[in-house]
């Protein structure tokens, strides 16, 4: 694809989706590593894609790879605190070491991702703000998706 002279392309790569945390709050007690990530709202990825497609100078994005992230680095403990305050419930959180995780729970792909994040981190990017003109914080995402962070009945 990169060597194609006729096909125009832009790659959008995301990090850790903000909604990934919702599943944790379905349990009475959360056991999860206290990793630091810039949680991204999937809508931000769509906003960047739309802005590129609608840009009269869209050629400036040709053959570019953009890393899309949330605007702030948050630890799992900070996310748990934000969700607890937003939902008005007490959340019992236990930080577990990444090195001690084993399948089947969590699945192997998630363990590999968490080990990568723990060792290398995920960078914060201003691409969303620069290209789409806005950037969704975790608090904004949480306000819009609060029901997903409530325990199932």
């Amino acid at each position: 694809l990169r060597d194609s002279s006729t096909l125009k392309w832009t790659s959008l790569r995301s990090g850790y989706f903000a909604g990934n945390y919702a599943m944790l709050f379905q349990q009475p007690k959360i056991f999860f590593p206290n990793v630091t990530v810039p949680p991204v709202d999937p809508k931000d990825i769509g906003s960047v894609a739309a802005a590129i497609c609608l840009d009269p100078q869209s050629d400036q994005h040709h053959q570019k790879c953009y890393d899309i992230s949330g605007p702030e680095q948050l630890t799992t403990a900070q996310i748990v605190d934000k969700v607890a305050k937003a939902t008005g419930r007490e959340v019992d959180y236990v930080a577990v070491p990444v090195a001690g995780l084993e399948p089947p729970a969590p699945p192997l792909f998630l363990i590999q991702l968490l080990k990568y994040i723990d060792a290398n981190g995920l960078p914060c990017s201003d691409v969303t703000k620069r290209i789409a003109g806005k950037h969704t914080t975790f608090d904004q995402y949480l306000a819009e998706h609060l029901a997903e962070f409530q325990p199932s009945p």
Side-chain angles (χ1 to χ4, degrees):
L1 184 65
R2 204 174 258 264
D3 297 330
S4 173
S5 59
T6 58
L7 182 64
K8 297 199 182 240
W9 61 269
T10 304
S11 174
L12 305 180
R13 302 180 295 200
S14 64
Y16 203 85
F17 293 113
N20 288 353
Y21 285 99
M23 67 178 176
L24 297 177
F25 293 89
Q26 303 306 307
Q27 306 302 319
K29 193 170 193 173
I30 296 172
F31 296 90
F32 200 78
N34 194 29
V35 294
T36 302
V37 298
V40 62
D41 183 344
K43 286 184 186 176
D44 284 355
I45 301 164
S47 294
V48 172
I52 289 169
C53 290
L54 297 172
D55 187 345
Q57 281 102 34
S58 62
D59 283 353
Q60 70 181 325
H61 304 289
H62 177 51
Q63 293 186 336
K64 298 269 175 79
C65 294
Y66 293 122
D67 291 318
I68 312 294
S69 76
E72 58 197 340
Q73 294 277 0
L74 297 171
T75 64
T76 303
Q78 290 171 313
I79 288 170
V80 167
D81 186 53
K82 287 175 178 285
V83 172
K85 287 178 182 166
T87 59
R89 68 185 180 104
E90 207 169 299
V91 178
D92 193 1
Y93 169 59
V94 177
V96 297
V98 174
L101 297 175
E102 292 185 23
L108 182 58
F109 79 89
L110 183 56
I111 293 171
Q112 291 169 335
L113 175 62
L114 291 169
K115 285 181 179 181
Y116 176 85
I117 292 169
D118 193 47
N120 305 293
L122 290 178
C124 251
S125 164
D126 70 341
V127 168
T128 303
K129 180 81 171 164
R130 237 180 338 106
I131 294 176
K134 68 179 184 75
H135 215 166
T136 306
T137 66
F138 184 77
D139 289 332
Q140 292 167 326
Y141 179 86
L142 183 58
E144 189 174 331
H145 299 271
L146 194 56
E148 296 169 23
F149 290 83
Q150 299 282 10
S152 299

